[in-house]
Amino acid sequence: MSYETYFQNLREQHLDELKELLSIPSISALSEHKGDVNKAAEWIANLLKKAGLENVEVHQTNGHPIITADHLHAPGKPTILVYGHYDVQPVDPLHLWTTPPFEPDIRDGKLYARGATDDKGQLFLHIKAVEAILKQEGKLPVNIKFCIEGEEEISSPNLPPFLDANRDKLAADAVLISDTALLEPGKPAISTGLRGLCSLEVSINTANTDLHSGTFGGGVPNALHALVDLLASLHDKDGRVAVEGFYEGVPQLSPMMREEFAKQKFDEKKLAESLELDTLYGEAGYSFVERTGARPTLELNGVWGGFQGEGTKTVIPKEAHAKITCRLVGDQDPEDILAKINRHLRKYVQPGAKLTIIDGEKARAFNIDPSERVLQVAADAYEQVYGTRALFTKDGGSIPIVETFSRVLEAPVVMMGFGLPDENLHAPNEHFNLENFDKGLLTIVEFLKRV
Amino acid sequence: MSYETYFQNLREQHLDELKELLSIPSISALSEHKGDVNKAAEWIANLLKKAGLENVEVHQTNGHPIITADHLHAPGKPTILVYGHYDVQPVDPLHLWTTPPFEPDIRDGKLYARGATDDKGQLFLHIKAVEAILKQEGKLPVNIKFCIEGEEEISSPNLPPFLDANRDKLAADAVLISDTALLEPGKPAISTGLRGLCSLEVSINTANTDLHSGTFGGGVPNALHALVDLLASLHDKDGRVAVEGFYEGVPQLSPMMREEFAKQKFDEKKLAESLELDTLYGEAGYSFVERTGARPTLELNGVWGGFQGEGTKTVIPKEAHAKITCRLVGDQDPEDILAKINRHLRKYVQPGAKLTIIDGEKARAFNIDPSERVLQVAADAYEQVYGTRALFTKDGGSIPIVETFSRVLEAPVVMMGFGLPDENLHAPNEHFNLENFDKGLLTIVEFLKRV
């Protein structure tokens, strides 16, 4: 029977299984969900076994488990390592979800749940594609390995040492990852670049107690004033990052690269409309795809201090906090960028305010040449199923592990994304368009057969 | 028996009663505490009755109840109206309290609880002083009225109409309020000025959903960026408020006034040390007592947006919020100031960010001439008990109702404070020094006998 028929027959069953996985709140960032993360790992291990994979192992780490599995019965054929992650982002603000994040719901052909597109839904496709080939043909056209982790959303602290220690076990001719997106419905894309990442948390402390704004207002430092001044100083009027030396190592956009970006014919007006924005906003002199694909950025992800309740509280807060992440490109070194931001903050902090900075995650940017054979095969597979050839793009996100895989295993990394840019990953109402669920299964089968 | 002996004999009983009052969480700003606010009102009404006051009434309003009572059996003698409030501030951050805010605890001669000094403890003194005179002498040397509200911490929305409607019932020769502080232990002060107040809440909305900082970072407005930029623009580098026209109506400090402030011999270094600050901070060119007593201010009381949890969340938040209050002096009109701030915010808000402003409380500043007879009598009473004459000061706080009392009842307002500046009102670990509890009782008795 054709793979179309095979997947059509099993569609309900597959979706029920995926919903079961999506109802496990495996939030890696929150320690109270450690049990759920473990549960998701065991669930994935069972799915791999059921699919016919061999040597399924759940490896304990200093954090959350890593799962490996393989099926190595195609001598002389290439070996493909599939990577994915079963952990998900936190879900707040919870009140903005239409249906609860861990009660998967299908509406208008979209599956809503935290992790639906990032990355449980996409990871699920690979396991089911392998299962399908084994069931239909009794064997695989390639050797396949899986390496699935539960710490991607907290920057994979335990995967690099695991890769280092298991270089031979995981050796492959190419690494296959589905954790990115199509350009738009019907328009597949293969990412040939990812931005790097670094993160930090900034705290300002002033007096040893909150103070009454009547008795003290105007006469003592206010932690919030000091913090907003400092945070505002991080950008200039043109939306550029104002930290000295921040842009060192950022490649200048050549006319050819700008042409490649222009090919995407990205509709900025449509994006603004869909987000209900009067206008997009960013560094002057660049288009949206250039800003997010080839330019670094510094974003405030959270700021808080003082009274957030109902009514008025005339308080001068003693502390204020901010969470910051940077997306990096080219040769920007996350260590160096963090050092520069630290210097900037220490230089400009207001008198009377004590500054504490905790450096967080660090990942370099990744780039691959689109002429690599596996990337061309992936484009062929997309063309076969979607009827249109995939564009080679630069993705604004960071999957820190991609650069590590490419470096440690010395193998090209193929990023075949089946999400969509507006699927609210990391936000309320995350979802996965089921059209790409169906086409994703077929595209992966096609890729494995052609490679 | 002397009043010293009388109060000494009843000290334990009085403190137990006050603790009972302090354990009622009568937070006026939080609607879930409405029942507690009512309970505190009833409790105060009973205390007034037990003290021998007559015509004790609990008046329902559109908000929390107002209590009145009187004792008018001194024909030909002046009538004193005592004002106080039984509501308290919210208690967060709760984790910074050494003992729970509504489980009163005495440590090192200090009574710790929310409301201990602001204003339940100080209000309690007046009721017990009147009770003492009635018990000791069978009659009062003056006519006395009480007017006690439960909405001071939310800017007394229902008291002005109540005063207007009950002008005759409340008519008095002077209004007596204890809701301020000594300068420092053993150094009494009578406030001859209070700052006015206005408040607002500012919200920034950007996209219709939180966005992933990888896919969108650098290419869309970030509500937190827009908010911190806007908030930072409210002050200049010298700590002055940068809102156009903000200082109109602010009286210039004359050399004589500066001399009066200098007389307080305020120890800025000691304050900084006690707050564990490297340095105080405020508008350039003014001392701490000038900044807080005679200069207006604009304070951020709360700022929040985005992710505040554990770990990293690479999100571009769709909304961000700030709570702001201004302290006003001289002829600054709260309506006018709010209009100017609104104008400033609308002018400087970043493209792509939607701004919402909700104006809140509005109260004018208050001033009284220190040569008023009742103020001199109050100074005498302090001198008798504390052994040192009270200084006439300007207080940085706002008791919006003081200006209203003075205007509606056309009577001088005497602010006899028994708190201390470091008693953490509006902050965790609020407390009341029991030395001033004891001396306060005697000072009020002395005042009522002399006036």
Side-chain angles (χ1 to χ4, degrees), chain B residues 323-339:
Chain B
K323 284 177 187 271
I324 301 174
T325 48
C326 294
R327 300 285 171 173
L328 308 176
V329 301
D331 292 325
Q332 281 182 306
D333 173 2
E335 296 272 6
D336 175 56
I337 293 291
L338 284 174

Side-chain angles (χ1 to χ4, degrees), chain A residues 154-223:
Chain A
I154 51 171
S155 217
S156 309
N158 291 294
L159 192 54
F162 184 83
L163 290 188
D164 263 335
N166 294 277
R167 236 175 248 264
D168 293 339
K169 183 190 181 76
L170 299 171
D173 298 299
V175 179
L176 181 59
I177 302 179
S178 295
D179 198 15
T180 48
L182 308 186
L183 279 181
E184 57 183 77
K187 246 175 132 175
I190 296 169
S191 181
T192 61
L194 289 168
R195 291 196 282 189
L197 181 79
C198 63
S199 69
L200 64 161
E201 190 165 331
V202 178
S203 294
I204 293 283
N205 287 77
T206 46
N208 51 11
T209 181
D210 283 353
L211 294 169
H212 187 295
S213 84
T215 319
F216 294 96
V220 292
N222 177 322

Side-chain angles (χ1 to χ4, degrees), chain A residues 92-398:
Chain A
D92 55 284
L94 196 56
H95 70 280
L96 296 179
W97 287 77
T98 304
T99 49
F102 298 110
E103 296 177 19
D105 187 46
I106 295 177
R107 301 192 293 278
D108 297 332
K110 294 164 189 167
L111 173 56
Y112 286 83
R114 171 59 87 226
T117 187
D118 177 19
D119 179 49
K120 286 173 173 172
Q122 298 203 53
L123 165 62
F124 185 82
L125 299 179
H126 286 273
I127 302 174
K128 287 299 167 188
V130 168
E131 181 181 66
I133 304 178
L134 282 170
K135 286 210 174 143
Q136 293 264 94
E137 316 189 11
K139 60 182 176 135
L140 295 179
V142 291
N143 299 297
I144 203 144
K145 297 179 178 178
F146 276 87
C147 176
I148 302 169
E149 69 155 328
E151 299 186 310
E152 198 273 340
E153 301 296 2
I154 51 171
S155 217
S156 309
N158 291 294
L159 192 54
F162 184 83
L163 290 188
D164 263 335
N166 294 277
R167 236 175 248 264
D168 293 339
K169 183 190 181 76
L170 299 171
D173 298 299
V175 179
L176 181 59
I177 302 179
S178 295
D179 198 15
T180 48
L182 308 186
L183 279 181
E184 57 183 77
K187 246 175 132 175
I190 296 169
S191 181
T192 61
L194 289 168
R195 291 196 282 189
L197 181 79
C198 63
S199 69
L200 64 161
E201 190 165 331
V202 178
S203 294
I204 293 283
N205 287 77
T206 46
N208 51 11
T209 181
D210 283 353
L211 294 169
H212 187 295
S213 84
T215 319
F216 294 96
V220 292
N222 177 322
L224 279 171
H225 290 196
L227 185 67
V228 301
D229 272 6
L230 204 49
L231 296 178
S233 79
L234 291 168
H235 288 91
D236 69 14
K237 298 279 162 217
D238 294 323
R240 275 175 68 88
V241 178
V243 173
E244 200 184 324
F246 184 81
Y247 290 94
E248 282 166 23
V250 175
Q252 269 221 306
L253 270 183
S254 65
M256 206 158 59
M257 285 162 81
R258 302 197 90 152
E259 216 170 277
E260 193 67 29
F261 277 117
K263 268 194 204 155
Q264 291 184 32
K265 293 195 184 17
F266 187 84
D267 190 339
E268 298 197 358
K269 201 159 160 260
K270 201 170 139 197
L271 174 65
E273 273 170 22
S274 79
L275 298 173
E276 293 174 50
L277 288 168
D278 301 337
T279 175
L280 299 181
Y281 183 80
E283 191 184 356
Y286 296 92
S287 70
F288 176 81
V289 284
E290 289 169 352
R291 284 169 177 167
T292 54
R295 299 295 298 171
T297 177
L298 183 156
E299 297 284 339
L300 302 177
N301 308 119
V303 173
W304 69 101
F307 184 62
Q308 304 182 21
E310 195 185 337
T312 297
K313 188 177 177 200
T314 49
V315 67
I316 300 178
K318 69 190 273 280
E319 56 186 288
H321 308 271
K323 283 176 189 272
I324 301 174
T325 48
C326 294
R327 299 286 171 173
L328 309 177
V329 300
D331 292 327
Q332 282 183 305
D333 173 4
E335 295 274 5
D336 174 57
I337 292 291
L338 284 174
K340 284 168 174 163
I341 297 173
N342 272 260
R343 227 162 15 240
H344 177 100
L345 295 173
R346 300 212 178 280
K347 181 171 171 187
Y348 291 106
V349 66
Q350 205 177 74
K354 292 170 233 38
L355 176 64
T356 310
I357 306 171
I358 301 171
D359 290 349
E361 305 172 17
K362 291 158 204 156
R364 284 179 160 275
F366 164 78
N367 286 290
I368 188 171
D369 188 331
S371 66
E372 280 276 355
R373 183 181 164 268
V374 279
L375 263 63
Q376 293 298 329
V377 172
D380 295 343
Y382 271 121
E383 191 166 6
Q384 175 72 23
V385 176
Y386 281 83
T388 172
R389 195 158 180 84
L391 266 179
F392 293 104
T393 60
K394 299 281 183 193
D395 196 86
S398 310

Side-chain angles (χ1 to χ4, degrees), chain B residues 3 32 64 82 247 254 296 350 395 424:
Chain B
Y3 281 95
E32 69 260 34
H64 302 307
V82 176
Y247 290 95
S254 66
Q350 204 178 73
D395 195 87
N424 292 354

